[in-house]
Every structure is written in C-alpha cells, then in structure tokens.
Amino acid sequence: AQTVTQSQPEMSVQEAETVTLSCTYDTSESDYYLFWYKQPPSRQMILVIRQEAYKQQNATENRFSVNFQKAAKSFSLKISDSQLGDAAMYFCAYRSVEYGNKLVFGAGTILRVKS
Amino acid sequence: DAGITQSPRHKVTETGTPVTLRCHQTENHRYMYWYRQDPGHGLRLIHYSYGVKDTDKGEVSDGYSVSRSKTEDFLLTLESATSSQTSVYFCAISEGQPLDEQYFGPGTRLTVT
C-alpha cells in the first residue's frame, strides 16, 4: 500500500518570502499522480497543483511550484511571495492509476504566514 | 464551485445510535468518495463508489457502510456509532480520470458522546 509522509507538522513564513513544504511517498508503481491540496480555516479542500509522475517537468501554478524528484520519491511544494491568504493546512496526496483513482493523503502541514 | 452538498453539517449523537450522512452532487460525476479527517492522519478513505450500486472499501471501512442508489446521492451509515468515529467527514466527487481533480464537499462534523 502506498504511504505519504509530511515531516513538517507546522511551518512559518514571513509575508512576501518563499517557503517549501516537504512530502515524500512510498510506492512500487511507476505511473501515478501527485497533488497538493490546501485547507483554509473554512475547512474547504482546494486543489493547489498536480503532477503526473511520467512528466519530468515540474508543475507550476502562478506562485506555486513543485520540486518532483521521482527517484527520491519526493514531491515538495514551493510557495513564492507568500500572502496572508496562503495560511492554511496543506496536504500532499498520491493517486494510483490502478485502484479506483483513490487519493492517499499525508498528515498535513500547517502553514502560518506572518505579516 | 462543484455542486456538492453534505447533510447534516454538524451532528452530535450518542454511542450506539445509527447515523446516516448524505452527500449530494449535481455534477453527474461517476466517482464518489467518503473520507474522514482526524488530526495527525490527514484524510483517510472510508468507502468509494464508481457507479450506481457499485461500491468498494477504503482503508478505514470497519464500522461503516455505504449505499448509492442514484448517481447524485452517496450515503454513509454508521450502524452503531462509537466515540472513535468522532471526526470530520468529507464527501468528494470525480470524473474518474487519474489526473482529474477530486472536488470536496464542505464536510460534516460528527461528535459521538
């Protein structure tokens, strides 16, 4: 079974600075998909970014980008020019292509943004 | 926003009572999922459905059952609630392609006393 590990329970960043959230995963599959979700205090789950494992190029979405290291099974999220609205819980998630497209989530990282 | 609603949004119940949570979608997506969210565990899959009357277990399915008699509704039932089932429950929907986004409902906070 796949597992996802987020080793940083909590992170802080100064407004306008850059922060990187870590995620590692364990799998024996060669084809899979990775996601970062954001959960603000409203509890709503919001997709931030997604990555296909067979693509070498790292995904980017505006101020959000990932560093995908397939051999190391690492999928970190970089947030540039941090804003107060980025404060939230961030979840890394793994999706296998074989098992009903289910998501396996990490435990989450709380991101605090200081003004 | 994807059209997903969950009811009730909050519920307090006593140990041993049955509880049913409802997820309703207006997107006609094929896949529907139930997750629970607990501190230190992230979200964990309870059950999912890949079509009407087609369901399968997730990683934490013990004590839960589901039913899907219509495309738009996915019910989660706790036959006899226990305190360990106190949690926030999320429903999600997806078209089913691996890269497709899973859209999440607003969540239901369930407290079992």
Side-chain angles (χ1 to χ4, degrees):
Chain A
Q2 295 81 21
T3 59
V4 177
T5 302
Q6 295 179 247
S7 59
Q8 307 153 317
E10 192 168 323
M11 293 283 284
S12 291
V13 63
Q14 199 69 32
E15 200 174 3
E17 298 293 310
T18 295
V19 65
T20 298
L21 307 184
S22 299
C23 173
T24 58
Y25 56 93
D26 186 28
T27 184
S28 59
E29 298 175 331
S30 60
D31 193 17
Y32 49 87
Y33 299 80
L34 297 163
F35 301 80
W36 278 97
Y37 277 86
K38 170 185 177 181
Q39 186 181 45
S42 66
R43 217 163 60 191
Q44 183 65 44
M45 294 287 286
I46 303 165
L47 178 65
V48 175
I49 199 165
R50 68 191 103 183
Q51 174 82 40
E52 301 166 74
Y54 64 85
K55 284 193 174 180
Q56 300 278 0
Q57 188 173 5
N58 289 324
T60 61
E61 288 286 343
N62 301 313
R63 297 183 295 107
F64 298 87
S65 62
V66 298
N67 183 7
F68 174 49
Q69 302 289 328
K70 190 172 184 179
K73 297 180 183 175
S74 171
F75 183 61
S76 60
L77 175 69
K78 185 171 83 171
I79 306 174
S80 304
D81 185 26
S82 296
Q83 301 175 359
L84 295 177
D86 295 333
M89 175 79 87
Y90 286 82
F91 292 101
C92 178
Y94 173 102
R95 176 184 282 168
S96 167
V97 298
E98 297 181 0
Y99 298 102
N101 299 317
K102 300 171 288 183
L103 288 173
V104 177
F105 285 87
T109 296
I110 297 171
L111 178 65
R112 304 192 192 281
V113 181
K114 301 175 184 176
S115 59
Chain B
D1 290 344
I4 312 171
T5 56
Q6 293 184 228
S7 58
R9 295 291 312 279
H10 303 271
K11 186 171 182 66
V12 179
T13 192
E14 293 183 348
T15 299
T17 60
V19 177
T20 295
L21 308 182
R22 180 183 183 236
C23 177
H24 179 77
Q25 63 150 326
T26 59
E27 306 296 323
N28 201 35
H29 282 1
R30 178 185 175 194
Y31 282 79
M32 298 185 76
Y33 308 83
W34 277 108
Y35 294 89
R36 59 177 290 174
Q37 181 178 7
D38 304 290
H41 292 278
L43 280 76
R44 292 178 292 173
L45 183 67
I46 305 171
H47 283 280
Y48 70 103
S49 169
Y50 47 95
V52 174
K53 294 187 169 47
D54 293 322
T55 65
D56 204 353
K57 296 179 180 180
E59 63 177 305
V60 290
S61 59
D62 287 349
Y64 301 94
S65 63
V66 291
S67 66
R68 190 171 179 198
S69 58
K70 298 185 290 185
T71 299
E72 57 266 33
D73 290 326
F74 193 32
L75 304 181
L76 177 70
T77 297
L78 291 66
E79 300 290 348
S80 178
T82 68
S83 58
S84 65
Q85 294 175 312
T86 292
S87 187
V88 178
Y89 290 85
F90 285 95
C91 175
I93 64 173
S94 171
E95 284 283 10
Q97 295 303 312
L99 197 59
D100 286 345
E101 178 175 354
Q102 277 193 17
Y103 298 94
F104 286 79
T108 294
R109 180 175 294 279
L110 176 67
T111 303
V112 183
T113 60

